[in-house]
Amino acid sequence: MEAFQINIFVSFTTSRLFPLNPVFQPPLPAQCWVLKAIETDSTSVIYYATCCLSAVFFARVHGLSDRILRDGAIFYCKALRCLNENLQDLNLCRDPVNVAASFLLGMYEVSVFDEYNGWIRHAGGVGRLIEMHGANYFRQKLARGYLIVSRILIISEALILRRACFLDRESWRTIPWMDDPRSKTSLDAIIELMACIPRLREESDLLQSMQTHVLAVSAHEFRQRLINFMAELFLWRWRYEQSHPGMAFEVSSEATGRNKDSPLRTTFYPTVFFFKDFDTGREPLLYNTALLMIFALAATWQLADPATQAMAKLPQQEHPLQCTNPLSLPHAGLRIEEILHENCRSFEFFLQGPHAAAGAMVLLLPLRFT
């Protein structure tokens, strides 16, 4: 494959799959984290991983020949060999680019291999690699960026396996940001809340397998934890509303224009929700997905009207005076159906325009739990 072709493929793929730069803030230049990783990688593992993903993505989007896919497979083999050598080298095994390369190789495997659950195994490998380094390692800015990029993948694996995730520990919530606490964002806050849900799902399963006389006391405590956690989610949502007024608006489903001539297109809602920008819409989507999982656990434990009980836990002064957009705010009597419909009416936005490929990635977790 010629160098100019590689440049075209990489440029196209990074602009479509990683269109924004939420990880690396000034004084670093506004640049896709993948391109930044290539600049700092002295081992070529990121270069090979980026090339294999870019080749398959460009070829699939444009319906190009199998030759490009074969070239991508060659880069994939080179990336695997290089990553394996790095991990066995005492000087290179702790290089943060190994984490980034593992993330990109996982995306390639999702795109190419037919094994439905293969990405779960790969996500577990990325998680183990990050956990092995320890939270203190990710205090350095570049490494912290790769941790931030990988968190949703790691949490998704833990959610599906219903197994506690190391990212919910206090050390992983604080130490990587110790030198720059102001860099933490509302996105970090909602992802940290989501990291707690796998443990709740695991404990729910364990409690249900306990003897009846032990379960009675433990079940009451667990129900209270669910209510308290829902209250934390509500608090996040109110604060997000206050910091992002007017973040969403309604658009006619017909006006979106996507595949309007397709005989398979069905309009389920007369209007859908669009957002100011990609990142602004992503965070309420994650909040809704987390809330849906807590509603599901509450139903398992026969919690009556959990939203009203959660609202009672919160001080009145935390309630925003009014909603500035058509999305639902937490309220007494909130039902799971409201959240389900809100998520479904948001999906269209993420599949529009130049961020459609990145949006499809963002939807993988919400679609599984909606």
Side-chain angles (χ1 to χ4, degrees), residues 226-285:
L226 290 178
I227 293 169
N228 291 337
F229 190 81
M230 184 174 284
E232 287 189 67
L233 286 173
F234 286 175
L235 189 58
W236 180 92
R237 178 64 181 86
W238 283 331
R239 290 173 177 171
Y240 195 73
E241 182 72 23
Q242 292 166 349
S243 61
H244 295 78
M247 63 178 166
F249 51 94
E250 287 187 89
V251 174
S252 167
S253 295
E254 296 301 323
T256 62
R258 194 173 68 89
N259 299 328
K260 64 180 180 180
D261 297 324
S262 171
L264 300 178
R265 180 175 173 84
T266 301
T267 300
F268 294 102
Y269 300 98
T271 61
V272 293
F273 297 134
F274 272 37
F275 299 87
K276 281 184 174 180
D277 56 60
F278 185 84
D279 265 4
T280 300
R282 180 186 180 194
E283 295 181 46
L285 183 70

Side-chain angles (χ1 to χ4, degrees), residues 197 200 226 229-230 233 289-299:
I197 300 177
L200 291 172
L226 290 178
F229 190 81
M230 184 174 284
L233 286 173
T289 304
L291 191 54
L292 288 173
M293 288 186 274
I294 298 304
F295 265 117
L297 284 172

Side-chain angles (χ1 to χ4, degrees), residues 38-114:
I38 292 174
E39 288 181 5
T40 60
D41 178 21
S42 61
T43 71
S44 293
V45 65
I46 277 285
Y47 175 76
Y48 292 143
T50 303
C51 288
C52 73
L53 175 61
S54 298
V56 69
F57 182 75
F58 192 92
R60 292 278 170 82
V61 170
H62 294 91
L64 299 181
S65 67
D66 290 342
R67 182 183 63 79
I68 296 177
L69 296 177
R70 288 195 295 272
D71 288 340
I74 292 171
F75 280 120
Y76 173 71
C77 293
K78 290 180 178 179
L80 284 181
R81 183 169 63 250
C82 191
L83 179 61
N84 185 55
E85 291 171 355
N86 284 4
L87 294 178
Q88 294 185 50
D89 188 305
L90 293 178
N91 295 319
L92 297 176
C93 65
R94 293 180 62 81
D95 193 318
V97 297
N98 295 326
V99 174
S102 297
F103 177 83
L104 295 174
L105 290 172
M107 292 182 64
Y108 172 86
E109 291 166 1
V110 169
S111 303
V112 172
F113 300 143
D114 294 330

Side-chain angles (χ1 to χ4, degrees), residues 316-328:
Q316 185 64 33
Q317 62 265 29
E318 292 287 356
H319 298 208
L321 295 178
Q322 61 181 2
C323 186
T324 62
N325 58 77
L327 304 183
S328 295

Side-chain angles (χ1 to χ4, degrees), residues 99-314:
V99 174
S102 297
F103 177 83
L104 295 174
L105 290 172
M107 292 182 64
Y108 172 86
E109 291 166 1
V110 169
S111 303
V112 172
F113 300 143
D114 294 330
E115 186 181 357
Y116 176 71
N117 290 324
W119 73 269
I120 299 178
R121 183 175 63 252
H122 193 94
V126 173
R128 285 188 293 276
L129 183 60
I130 288 176
E131 187 176 13
M132 176 188 71
H133 285 315
N136 198 61
Y137 175 79
F138 292 93
R139 289 172 64 178
Q140 54 176 303
K141 193 161 190 174
L142 197 61
R144 186 169 73 240
Y146 301 145
L147 167 66
I148 290 171
V149 167
S150 303
R151 288 178 304 178
I152 287 293
L153 181 68
I154 296 168
I155 293 169
S156 297
E157 183 232 9
L159 284 168
I160 291 168
L161 298 181
R162 303 179 76 92
R163 190 173 61 202
C165 176
F166 69 91
L167 293 175
D168 72 349
R169 299 173 196 158
E170 186 65 20
S171 59
W172 286 95
R173 295 157 68 101
T174 56
I175 292 176
W177 289 267
M178 187 177 294
D179 300 324
D180 191 15
R182 291 187 177 183
S183 67
K184 293 197 79 171
T185 65
S186 55
L187 178 61
D188 293 318
I190 191 61
I191 290 178
E192 286 177 358
L193 286 170
M194 292 192 75
C196 299
I197 300 177
R199 188 177 300 276
L200 291 172
R201 287 165 67 88
E202 180 182 52
E203 290 180 0
S204 175
D205 294 342
L206 290 173
L207 283 172
Q208 288 178 301
S209 67
M210 293 170 62
Q211 298 295 324
T212 304
H213 68 282
V214 180
L215 180 61
V217 176
S218 300
H220 173 74
E221 295 174 353
F222 188 73
R223 290 188 182 100
Q224 290 305 306
R225 287 181 59 199
L226 290 178
I227 293 169
N228 291 337
F229 190 81
M230 184 174 284
E232 287 189 67
L233 286 173
F234 286 175
L235 189 58
W236 180 92
R237 178 64 181 86
W238 283 331
R239 290 173 177 171
Y240 195 73
E241 182 72 23
Q242 292 166 349
S243 61
H244 295 78
M247 63 178 166
F249 51 94
E250 287 187 89
V251 174
S252 167
S253 295
E254 296 301 323
T256 62
R258 194 173 68 89
N259 299 328
K260 64 180 180 180
D261 297 324
S262 171
L264 300 178
R265 180 175 173 84
T266 301
T267 300
F268 294 102
Y269 300 98
T271 61
V272 293
F273 297 134
F274 272 37
F275 299 87
K276 281 184 174 180
D277 56 60
F278 185 84
D279 265 4
T280 300
R282 180 186 180 194
E283 295 181 46
L285 183 70
L286 292 175
Y287 156 80
N288 281 343
T289 304
L291 191 54
L292 288 173
M293 288 186 274
I294 298 304
F295 265 117
L297 284 172
T300 299
W301 289 94
Q302 300 177 334
L303 256 173
D305 197 3
T308 298
Q309 295 187 58
M311 289 285 292
K313 297 279 186 180
L314 296 168

